[in-house]
Amino acid sequence: MTTEMVTDIIKEGLFVILKTSAPPLIVSLVIGLGVSIFQTVTSIQEQTLTFVPKIVGMFICLMILGDWMLDNMITYMTELWQDFSLYIR
């Protein structure tokens, strides 16, 4: 196993992590921004107000995109295990 193979595995793994985690993080960011703007406009300074909308938004995001996210991870792991014989030489 060469250094290039290791860096390729790490690079592809990090890309899968970023690609898979981006949608829930973006949803959380947008909901948090929207709640912050609402709090600023209405002068409500309740710290716990952001939690429920974020949880609901994340749940909906995972329901909609969960299959795609799982498919990305399964594809990466399948490719990794199929090439396993190349790595142990």
Side-chain angles (χ1 to χ4, degrees):
M1 187 165 187
T2 64
T3 307
E4 293 172 1
M5 293 173 84
V6 173
T7 56
D8 285 341
I9 292 170
I10 292 171
K11 180 178 69 171
E12 190 175 340
L14 289 174
F15 182 69
V16 168
I17 290 170
L18 289 174
K19 186 170 63 169
T20 304
S21 65
L25 291 175
I26 291 171
V27 166
S28 178
L29 176 73
V30 168
I31 291 173
L33 182 64
V35 170
S36 295
I37 291 172
F38 174 75
Q39 284 180 329
T40 302
V41 168
T42 59
S43 298
I44 298 174
Q45 297 302 320
E46 180 64 33
Q47 295 297 323
T48 60
L49 185 64
T50 61
F51 293 126
V52 173
K54 279 186 183 180
I55 290 172
V56 171
M58 294 291 284
F59 182 70
I60 291 171
C61 178
L62 291 177
M63 282 185 2
I64 293 171
L65 297 174
D67 184 47
W68 172 78
M69 294 166 68
L70 186 62
D71 187 49
N72 280 337
M73 292 184 281
I74 289 173
T75 301
Y76 172 68
M77 287 307 296
T78 303
E79 290 175 0
L80 193 64
W81 282 104
Q82 284 177 350
D83 297 336
F84 191 71
S85 63
L86 299 174
Y87 304 143
I88 58 174
R89 289 185 189 184

Coordinates of all heavy atoms in Angstrom, one line a residue:
M1 N 0.9 -1.2 0.0 CA 0.0 0.0 0.0 C 0.9 1.2 0.0 O 1.7 1.4 0.9 CB -0.9 0.0 1.2 CG -1.9 1.0 1.2 SD -3.0 0.5 2.5 CE -4.3 1.5 2.6
T2 N 0.7 2.1 -1.0 CA 1.5 3.2 -1.1 C 0.9 4.4 -0.4 O -0.3 4.4 0.0 CB 1.7 3.6 -2.6 OG1 0.4 3.9 -3.2 CG2 2.3 2.4 -3.4
T3 N 1.7 5.5 -0.3 CA 1.2 6.7 0.3 C 0.1 7.3 -0.5 O -0.8 7.9 0.1 CB 2.4 7.7 0.4 OG1 3.5 7.1 1.1 CG2 2.0 8.9 1.2
E4 N 0.2 7.2 -1.8 CA -0.9 7.7 -2.7 C -2.2 7.1 -2.4 O -3.3 7.7 -2.4 CB -0.5 7.6 -4.1 CG 0.7 8.5 -4.5 CD 1.2 8.1 -6.0 OE1 0.6 7.3 -6.6 OE2 2.1 8.8 -6.4
M5 N -2.2 5.7 -2.2 CA -3.4 5.0 -2.0 C -4.0 5.5 -0.6 O -5.3 5.6 -0.5 CB -3.2 3.5 -1.9 CG -2.8 2.9 -3.3 SD -2.3 1.2 -3.1 CE -3.8 0.4 -3.2
V6 N -3.2 5.7 0.4 CA -3.7 6.1 1.7 C -4.3 7.5 1.5 O -5.4 7.8 2.1 CB -2.6 6.1 2.7 CG1 -3.0 6.7 4.0 CG2 -2.1 4.7 2.9
T7 N -3.6 8.4 0.9 CA -4.2 9.8 0.7 C -5.5 9.8 -0.1 O -6.4 10.6 0.2 CB -3.1 10.7 0.1 OG1 -2.7 10.2 -1.2 CG2 -2.0 10.9 1.0
D8 N -5.6 8.9 -1.1 CA -6.8 8.8 -1.9 C -7.9 8.3 -1.1 O -9.1 8.8 -1.2 CB -6.6 7.9 -3.1 CG -5.8 8.5 -4.2 OD1 -5.7 9.8 -4.2 OD2 -5.3 7.8 -5.1
I9 N -7.7 7.3 -0.2 CA -8.7 6.8 0.7 C -9.2 7.9 1.7 O -10.4 8.1 1.9 CB -8.2 5.5 1.4 CG1 -8.0 4.4 0.5 CG2 -9.2 5.2 2.6 CD1 -7.3 3.2 1.1
I10 N -8.3 8.6 2.2 CA -8.6 9.6 3.2 C -9.3 10.8 2.5 O -10.3 11.3 3.0 CB -7.3 10.2 3.9 CG1 -6.8 9.1 4.8 CG2 -7.6 11.4 4.7 CD1 -5.4 9.4 5.4
K11 N -8.9 11.2 1.3 CA -9.5 12.2 0.5 C -10.9 11.9 0.2 O -11.9 12.7 0.4 CB -8.7 12.5 -0.7 CG -9.3 13.7 -1.6 CD -8.5 14.0 -2.8 CE -8.5 12.8 -3.7 NZ -7.9 13.0 -5.0
E12 N -11.1 10.6 -0.3 CA -12.5 10.2 -0.7 C -13.4 10.1 0.6 O -14.6 10.4 0.5 CB -12.4 8.8 -1.4 CG -13.7 8.4 -2.0 CD -13.6 7.2 -2.8 OE1 -12.4 6.8 -3.2 OE2 -14.6 6.5 -3.1
G13 N -12.8 9.6 1.7 CA -13.6 9.5 2.9 C -14.0 10.9 3.4 O -15.2 11.0 3.9
L14 N -13.1 11.8 3.4 CA -13.5 13.2 3.8 C -14.5 13.8 2.9 O -15.4 14.5 3.4 CB -12.2 14.1 3.9 CG -11.3 13.7 5.1 CD1 -10.0 14.6 4.9 CD2 -11.9 13.9 6.4
F15 N -14.4 13.5 1.6 CA -15.4 14.1 0.7 C -16.8 13.5 1.0 O -17.8 14.2 0.9 CB -15.0 13.8 -0.7 CG -15.9 14.4 -1.8 CD1 -16.1 15.7 -1.9 CD2 -16.7 13.5 -2.5 CE1 -16.9 16.2 -2.9 CE2 -17.6 14.0 -3.5 CZ -17.7 15.4 -3.6
V16 N -16.8 12.2 1.3 CA -18.1 11.5 1.6 C -18.7 12.1 2.9 O -19.9 12.4 3.0 CB -17.9 10.0 1.7 CG1 -19.2 9.3 2.3 CG2 -17.6 9.4 0.3
I17 N -17.8 12.4 3.8 CA -18.3 13.0 5.1 C -18.9 14.3 4.8 O -20.0 14.7 5.3 CB -17.2 13.0 6.1 CG1 -16.8 11.6 6.6 CG2 -17.5 13.9 7.3 CD1 -15.5 11.6 7.4
L18 N -18.2 15.2 4.1 CA -18.7 16.5 3.8 C -20.0 16.5 3.0 O -20.9 17.2 3.3 CB -17.6 17.3 3.0 CG -16.4 17.7 3.9 CD1 -15.3 18.4 3.0 CD2 -16.8 18.7 5.0
K19 N -20.0 15.6 2.0 CA -21.2 15.6 1.1 C -22.4 15.0 1.9 O -23.5 15.5 1.7 CB -20.9 14.6 -0.1 CG -21.9 14.6 -1.1 CD -21.5 13.9 -2.4 CE -21.1 12.4 -2.1 NZ -20.9 11.6 -3.3
T20 N -22.2 14.1 2.8 CA -23.3 13.5 3.5 C -23.8 14.4 4.7 O -25.0 14.5 4.9 CB -22.8 12.2 4.1 OG1 -22.4 11.3 3.1 CG2 -24.0 11.5 4.8
S21 N -22.9 15.2 5.3 CA -23.3 16.0 6.4 C -23.7 17.4 6.0 O -24.3 18.1 6.8 CB -22.1 16.1 7.4 OG -21.0 16.8 6.8
A22 N -23.5 17.8 4.8 CA -23.8 19.2 4.4 C -25.3 19.5 4.4 O -25.7 20.5 5.0 CB -23.2 19.4 3.0
P23 N -26.2 18.6 3.9 CA -27.6 19.0 3.9 C -28.2 19.2 5.3 O -28.8 20.3 5.5 CB -28.3 17.8 3.2 CG -27.3 17.3 2.3 CD -26.0 17.4 3.1
P24 N -28.0 18.4 6.3 CA -28.5 18.7 7.6 C -27.9 19.9 8.3 O -28.6 20.7 9.0 CB -28.1 17.4 8.5 CG -27.9 16.3 7.5 CD -27.4 17.0 6.3
L25 N -26.6 20.1 8.0 CA -26.0 21.3 8.6 C -26.5 22.6 8.0 O -26.7 23.6 8.7 CB -24.4 21.2 8.4 CG -23.7 20.2 9.2 CD1 -22.3 20.1 8.9 CD2 -23.9 20.4 10.7
I26 N -26.7 22.6 6.7 CA -27.3 23.7 6.0 C -28.7 24.0 6.5 O -29.1 25.2 6.7 CB -27.2 23.6 4.5 CG1 -25.8 23.6 4.0 CG2 -28.0 24.6 3.7 CD1 -25.5 23.2 2.6
V27 N -29.5 22.9 6.6 CA -30.9 23.1 7.2 C -30.8 23.7 8.5 O -31.6 24.6 8.9 CB -31.6 21.8 7.1 CG1 -32.9 21.8 8.0 CG2 -31.9 21.3 5.7
S28 N -30.0 23.2 9.4 CA -29.8 23.7 10.7 C -29.4 25.2 10.7 O -29.9 26.0 11.5 CB -28.8 22.9 11.5 OG -28.6 23.4 12.8
L29 N -28.5 25.5 9.9 CA -28.0 26.9 9.7 C -29.1 27.9 9.3 O -29.3 28.9 9.9 CB -26.8 27.0 8.8 CG -26.3 28.4 8.5 CD1 -25.5 28.9 9.7 CD2 -25.4 28.3 7.2
V30 N -29.9 27.5 8.3 CA -30.9 28.3 7.8 C -32.0 28.5 8.8 O -32.5 29.6 9.0 CB -31.5 27.7 6.5 CG1 -32.8 28.4 6.0 CG2 -30.5 27.8 5.4
I31 N -32.4 27.4 9.5 CA -33.4 27.5 10.5 C -33.0 28.4 11.7 O -33.7 29.2 12.2 CB -33.9 26.1 11.0 CG1 -34.6 25.4 9.9 CG2 -34.7 26.2 12.3 CD1 -35.0 24.0 10.2
G32 N -31.7 28.2 12.1 CA -31.2 29.1 13.2 C -31.1 30.5 12.8 O -31.4 31.4 13.6
L33 N -30.8 30.8 11.5 CA -30.7 32.2 11.1 C -32.2 32.8 11.1 O -32.4 33.9 11.5 CB -30.1 32.2 9.7 CG -30.0 33.6 9.1 CD1 -29.0 34.5 9.9 CD2 -29.5 33.5 7.6
G34 N -33.1 32.0 10.6 CA -34.5 32.5 10.5 C -35.0 32.7 11.9 O -35.7 33.8 12.2
V35 N -34.8 31.8 12.9 CA -35.2 32.1 14.3 C -34.5 33.3 14.9 O -35.1 34.0 15.6 CB -35.0 30.8 15.1 CG1 -35.2 31.0 16.6 CG2 -35.9 29.7 14.6
S36 N -33.2 33.4 14.6 CA -32.5 34.6 15.1 C -33.1 35.9 14.6 O -33.2 36.9 15.3 CB -31.0 34.5 14.7 OG -30.4 33.4 15.4
I37 N -33.4 35.9 13.3 CA -34.0 37.1 12.7 C -35.4 37.4 13.4 O -35.7 38.5 13.7 CB -34.1 37.0 11.2 CG1 -32.8 37.1 10.6 CG2 -35.0 38.1 10.6 CD1 -32.7 36.8 9.1
F38 N -36.2 36.3 13.6 CA -37.5 36.4 14.2 C -37.3 37.0 15.7 O -38.1 37.8 16.1 CB -38.2 35.1 14.2 CG -39.5 35.0 15.0 CD1 -40.6 35.6 14.5 CD2 -39.5 34.4 16.3 CE1 -41.8 35.6 15.2 CE2 -40.7 34.4 17.0 CZ -41.8 35.0 16.5
Q39 N -36.3 36.4 16.4 CA -36.1 36.9 17.7 C -35.7 38.4 17.8 O -36.1 39.1 18.7 CB -35.0 36.1 18.4 CG -35.5 34.7 18.9 CD -34.4 33.9 19.5 OE1 -33.2 34.1 19.2 NE2 -34.7 33.1 20.5
T40 N -34.9 38.8 16.8 CA -34.4 40.2 16.7 C -35.6 41.1 16.4 O -35.7 42.2 17.1 CB -33.4 40.3 15.7 OG1 -32.3 39.5 16.0 CG2 -32.9 41.8 15.6
V41 N -36.4 40.7 15.5 CA -37.6 41.6 15.1 C -38.6 41.7 16.2 O -39.1 42.8 16.5 CB -38.2 41.0 13.8 CG1 -39.6 41.7 13.5 CG2 -37.3 41.2 12.6
T42 N -38.9 40.6 16.9 CA -39.9 40.6 18.0 C -39.3 40.9 19.4 O -40.1 40.9 20.3 CB -40.6 39.3 18.0 OG1 -39.7 38.2 18.3 CG2 -41.3 39.0 16.7
S43 N -38.1 41.1 19.5 CA -37.4 41.3 20.8 C -37.6 40.2 21.8 O -37.6 40.5 23.0 CB -37.8 42.7 21.4 OG -37.5 43.7 20.5
I44 N -37.8 39.0 21.3 CA -37.9 37.8 22.2 C -36.5 37.3 22.4 O -35.8 36.9 21.4 CB -38.8 36.8 21.6 CG1 -40.2 37.3 21.5 CG2 -38.8 35.5 22.5 CD1 -41.2 36.3 20.8
Q45 N -36.0 37.2 23.6 CA -34.6 36.7 23.8 C -34.6 35.4 24.5 O -33.9 35.2 25.5 CB -33.8 37.8 24.6 CG -33.6 39.1 23.8 CD -32.9 38.9 22.5 OE1 -32.0 38.1 22.4 NE2 -33.4 39.6 21.5
E46 N -35.4 34.5 24.1 CA -35.5 33.2 24.7 C -34.4 32.2 24.0 O -34.5 32.0 22.8 CB -36.9 32.6 24.5 CG -37.1 31.2 25.1 CD -36.9 31.2 26.6 OE1 -37.3 32.2 27.3 OE2 -36.4 30.2 27.1
Q47 N -33.5 31.7 24.8 CA -32.4 30.9 24.2 C -32.9 29.5 23.7 O -32.3 28.9 22.9 CB -31.3 30.7 25.3 CG -30.7 32.0 25.7 CD -29.9 32.6 24.5 OE1 -29.4 32.0 23.7 NE2 -30.0 34.0 24.4
T48 N -34.0 29.0 24.4 CA -34.4 27.6 24.0 C -35.3 27.6 22.8 O -35.7 26.6 22.3 CB -35.1 27.0 25.2 OG1 -36.3 27.8 25.6 CG2 -34.2 26.8 26.4
L49 N -35.7 28.8 22.3 CA -36.6 28.9 21.1 C -36.1 28.3 19.9 O -36.8 27.8 19.0 CB -37.0 30.4 20.9 CG -38.0 30.7 19.8 CD1 -39.4 30.1 20.2 CD2 -38.2 32.2 19.6
T50 N -34.8 28.2 19.7 CA -34.2 27.7 18.5 C -34.1 26.2 18.5 O -34.0 25.6 17.4 CB -32.7 28.2 18.3 OG1 -31.9 27.7 19.4 CG2 -32.7 29.7 18.2
F51 N -34.2 25.5 19.6 CA -34.1 24.0 19.6 C -35.2 23.3 18.9 O -34.9 22.4 18.1 CB -33.9 23.5 21.0 CG -32.6 24.0 21.7 CD1 -32.6 24.6 22.9 CD2 -31.4 23.8 21.1 CE1 -31.5 25.1 23.5 CE2 -30.2 24.2 21.6 CZ -30.2 24.8 22.9
V52 N -36.4 23.6 19.2 CA -37.5 22.8 18.6 C -37.6 23.0 17.1 O -37.7 22.0 16.4 CB -38.9 23.2 19.3 CG1 -40.0 22.6 18.6 CG2 -38.8 22.8 20.8
P53 N -37.5 24.2 16.5 CA -37.5 24.3 15.1 C -36.3 23.5 14.4 O -36.5 22.9 13.4 CB -37.5 25.8 14.8 CG -38.0 26.4 16.0 CD -37.6 25.5 17.1
K54 N -35.2 23.6 15.1 CA -34.0 22.9 14.5 C -34.2 21.4 14.6 O -33.9 20.7 13.6 CB -32.7 23.3 15.3 CG -32.1 24.6 14.8 CD -30.8 24.8 15.5 CE -30.2 26.1 15.2 NZ -28.9 26.3 15.8
I55 N -34.7 20.9 15.6 CA -35.0 19.4 15.8 C -36.0 19.0 14.7 O -35.8 18.0 14.1 CB -35.4 19.1 17.2 CG1 -34.2 19.2 18.1 CG2 -35.9 17.6 17.3 CD1 -34.6 19.1 19.6
V56 N -37.0 19.7 14.6 CA -38.1 19.4 13.6 C -37.5 19.5 12.2 O -37.7 18.6 11.3 CB -39.3 20.3 13.7 CG1 -40.3 20.1 12.6 CG2 -40.0 20.0 15.0
G57 N -36.7 20.5 11.9 CA -36.1 20.6 10.6 C -35.1 19.5 10.3 O -35.1 19.0 9.2
M58 N -34.3 19.2 11.3 CA -33.3 18.1 11.1 C -34.1 16.8 10.8 O -33.7 16.0 10.0 CB -32.4 18.0 12.3 CG -31.5 19.2 12.5 SD -30.3 19.3 11.2 CE -29.2 18.0 11.7
F59 N -35.1 16.5 11.6 CA -35.9 15.3 11.4 C -36.5 15.2 10.0 O -36.4 14.2 9.4 CB -37.0 15.2 12.5 CG -37.8 14.0 12.5 CD1 -37.3 12.8 12.8 CD2 -39.1 14.0 12.0 CE1 -38.0 11.6 12.8 CE2 -39.9 12.8 12.0 CZ -39.3 11.6 12.3
I60 N -37.1 16.3 9.5 CA -37.6 16.3 8.2 C -36.5 16.1 7.2 O -36.7 15.4 6.2 CB -38.4 17.6 8.0 CG1 -39.7 17.6 8.8 CG2 -38.8 17.8 6.5 CD1 -40.4 18.9 8.9
C61 N -35.4 16.8 7.4 CA -34.3 16.6 6.4 C -33.8 15.2 6.4 O -33.5 14.7 5.3 CB -33.1 17.6 6.9 SG -31.7 17.4 5.8
L62 N -33.7 14.6 7.5 CA -33.2 13.2 7.6 C -34.3 12.2 7.0 O -33.9 11.2 6.4 CB -32.9 12.8 9.0 CG -31.6 13.4 9.6 CD1 -31.4 13.0 11.0 CD2 -30.4 13.1 8.8
M63 N -35.5 12.5 7.1 CA -36.6 11.7 6.5 C -36.5 11.8 5.0 O -36.7 10.8 4.3 CB -38.0 12.1 7.0 CG -38.3 11.6 8.3 SD -40.0 12.0 8.9 CE -40.8 12.8 7.6
I64 N -36.3 13.0 4.5 CA -36.2 13.2 3.0 C -34.9 12.7 2.4 O -34.9 12.1 1.4 CB -36.5 14.7 2.7 CG1 -37.9 15.1 3.1 CG2 -36.2 15.0 1.2 CD1 -38.1 16.6 3.0
L65 N -33.8 13.1 3.0 CA -32.5 12.8 2.5 C -31.8 11.6 3.1 O -30.6 11.3 2.7 CB -31.6 14.0 2.6 CG -32.1 15.3 1.8 CD1 -31.2 16.4 2.1 CD2 -32.1 15.0 0.3
G66 N -32.4 10.9 4.0 CA -31.7 9.8 4.7 C -31.3 8.7 3.8 O -30.2 8.1 3.9
D67 N -32.2 8.4 2.9 CA -31.9 7.3 1.9 C -30.6 7.7 1.1 O -29.8 6.8 0.8 CB -33.1 7.1 1.0 CG -32.9 5.9 0.1 OD1 -32.4 4.8 0.6 OD2 -33.2 6.0 -1.1
W68 N -30.6 8.9 0.6 CA -29.5 9.4 -0.2 C -28.2 9.4 0.6 O -27.1 9.0 0.1 CB -29.8 10.8 -0.8 CG -28.6 11.4 -1.4 CD1 -28.2 11.1 -2.7 CD2 -27.7 12.4 -0.9 NE1 -27.1 11.9 -3.0 CE2 -26.8 12.7 -1.9 CE3 -27.7 13.1 0.3 CZ2 -25.8 13.6 -1.7 CZ3 -26.7 14.0 0.5 CH2 -25.8 14.3 -0.5
M69 N -28.3 9.8 1.9 CA -27.1 9.9 2.7 C -26.6 8.5 3.0 O -25.4 8.2 2.9 CB -27.5 10.6 4.0 CG -27.8 12.0 3.8 SD -28.6 12.8 5.3 CE -27.2 12.8 6.4
L70 N -27.5 7.5 3.3 CA -27.1 6.2 3.6 C -26.5 5.5 2.3 O -25.5 4.8 2.4 CB -28.3 5.4 4.1 CG -28.0 3.9 4.5 CD1 -27.0 3.9 5.7 CD2 -29.3 3.3 4.9
D71 N -27.1 5.8 1.2 CA -26.5 5.3 -0.1 C -25.1 5.8 -0.3 O -24.3 5.0 -0.8 CB -27.5 5.7 -1.2 CG -27.1 5.0 -2.5 OD1 -26.9 3.8 -2.5 OD2 -26.9 5.7 -3.6
N72 N -24.8 7.0 0.0 CA -23.5 7.6 -0.2 C -22.5 6.8 0.7 O -21.4 6.4 0.2 CB -23.4 9.0 0.2 CG -23.9 9.9 -0.9 OD1 -23.9 9.6 -2.1 ND2 -24.3 11.1 -0.6
M73 N -22.9 6.6 1.9 CA -22.0 5.9 2.9 C -21.8 4.4 2.5 O -20.7 3.9 2.5 CB -22.5 6.0 4.3 CG -22.4 7.4 4.8 SD -22.9 7.6 6.5 CE -24.7 7.5 6.4
I74 N -22.9 3.8 2.0 CA -22.8 2.3 1.6 C -21.9 2.2 0.4 O -21.1 1.3 0.3 CB -24.2 1.8 1.4 CG1 -24.9 1.6 2.8 CG2 -24.1 0.4 0.7 CD1 -26.3 1.2 2.6
T75 N -22.1 3.1 -0.6 CA -21.3 3.0 -1.8 C -19.8 3.2 -1.5 O -18.9 2.4 -2.0 CB -21.7 4.2 -2.8 OG1 -23.1 4.0 -3.1 CG2 -20.9 4.1 -4.0
Y76 N -19.4 4.1 -0.6 CA -18.0 4.3 -0.2 C -17.5 3.1 0.5 O -16.4 2.6 0.1 CB -17.9 5.6 0.7 CG -16.5 5.7 1.3 CD1 -15.4 6.0 0.4 CD2 -16.3 5.5 2.6 CE1 -14.2 6.2 1.0 CE2 -15.0 5.6 3.1 CZ -13.9 6.0 2.3 OH -12.7 6.1 2.8
M77 N -18.2 2.5 1.4 CA -17.7 1.4 2.2 C -17.6 0.1 1.2 O -16.7 -0.7 1.4 CB -18.6 1.1 3.4 CG -18.5 2.0 4.5 SD -16.8 2.3 5.0 CE -16.4 0.7 5.7
T78 N -18.6 0.0 0.3 CA -18.5 -1.1 -0.6 C -17.3 -1.0 -1.5 O -16.6 -2.0 -1.7 CB -19.8 -1.2 -1.5 OG1 -20.9 -1.2 -0.6 CG2 -19.8 -2.3 -2.4
E79 N -17.0 0.2 -2.0 CA -15.8 0.3 -2.8 C -14.6 0.1 -2.0 O -13.6 -0.5 -2.5 CB -15.8 1.7 -3.4 CG -16.9 2.0 -4.5 CD -16.9 3.4 -5.0 OE1 -16.1 4.2 -4.5 OE2 -17.7 3.7 -5.8
L80 N -14.6 0.5 -0.8 CA -13.4 0.4 0.1 C -13.2 -1.1 0.3 O -12.0 -1.6 0.2 CB -13.6 1.1 1.4 CG -12.4 1.3 2.3 CD1 -11.4 2.2 1.6 CD2 -12.9 1.9 3.6
W81 N -14.2 -1.9 0.6 CA -14.0 -3.3 0.9 C -13.8 -4.1 -0.4 O -13.1 -5.2 -0.3 CB -15.2 -3.9 1.6 CG -15.2 -3.5 3.1 CD1 -16.0 -2.6 3.7 CD2 -14.4 -4.1 4.1 NE1 -15.6 -2.5 5.0 CE2 -14.7 -3.4 5.3 CE3 -13.4 -5.1 4.1 CZ2 -14.0 -3.7 6.5 CZ3 -12.8 -5.4 5.3 CH2 -13.1 -4.7 6.5
Q82 N -14.3 -3.7 -1.5 CA -14.0 -4.4 -2.8 C -12.5 -4.3 -3.1 O -11.9 -5.2 -3.7 CB -14.8 -3.9 -3.9 CG -16.3 -4.3 -3.8 CD -17.1 -3.7 -5.0 OE1 -16.7 -2.8 -5.7 NE2 -18.3 -4.2 -5.1
D83 N -11.9 -3.2 -2.8 CA -10.5 -3.0 -3.1 C -9.6 -3.4 -2.0 O -8.4 -3.1 -2.0 CB -10.2 -1.5 -3.4 CG -10.9 -1.1 -4.7 OD1 -11.3 -1.9 -5.5 OD2 -11.2 0.1 -4.8
F84 N -10.1 -4.1 -1.0 CA -9.3 -4.5 0.2 C -8.1 -5.3 -0.1 O -7.1 -5.2 0.5 CB -10.2 -5.2 1.2 CG -9.6 -5.4 2.5 CD1 -9.4 -4.3 3.4 CD2 -9.2 -6.7 3.0 CE1 -8.9 -4.5 4.6 CE2 -8.6 -6.8 4.2 CZ -8.5 -5.8 5.0
S85 N -8.2 -6.2 -1.1 CA -7.1 -7.1 -1.5 C -5.9 -6.2 -2.0 O -4.8 -6.6 -1.9 CB -7.5 -8.1 -2.5 OG -8.0 -7.5 -3.7
L86 N -6.2 -5.1 -2.6 CA -5.1 -4.2 -3.1 C -4.4 -3.5 -2.0 O -3.2 -3.2 -2.1 CB -5.7 -3.2 -4.1 CG -6.4 -3.7 -5.3 CD1 -7.0 -2.5 -6.1 CD2 -5.4 -4.4 -6.2
Y87 N -5.1 -3.3 -0.9 CA -4.5 -2.6 0.2 C -3.6 -3.4 1.1 O -2.7 -2.9 1.7 CB -5.6 -2.0 1.1 CG -6.6 -1.1 0.4 CD1 -7.9 -1.1 0.7 CD2 -6.2 -0.2 -0.7 CE1 -8.8 -0.3 0.0 CE2 -7.0 0.5 -1.3 CZ -8.4 0.5 -1.0 OH -9.3 1.3 -1.7
I88 N -3.8 -4.7 1.1 CA -3.0 -5.5 2.0 C -1.7 -6.1 1.4 O -1.0 -6.8 2.0 CB -3.8 -6.7 2.6 CG1 -4.4 -7.6 1.5 CG2 -4.9 -6.2 3.5 CD1 -5.1 -8.8 1.9
R89 N -1.4 -5.7 0.2 CA -0.2 -6.2 -0.5 C 1.0 -5.4 0.0 O 1.0 -4.3 0.4 CB -0.3 -6.0 -2.0 CG -1.2 -7.0 -2.6 CD -1.2 -6.8 -4.1 NE -2.3 -7.6 -4.6 CZ -2.4 -7.8 -5.9 NH1 -1.7 -7.2 -6.7 NH2 -3.4 -8.5 -6.3

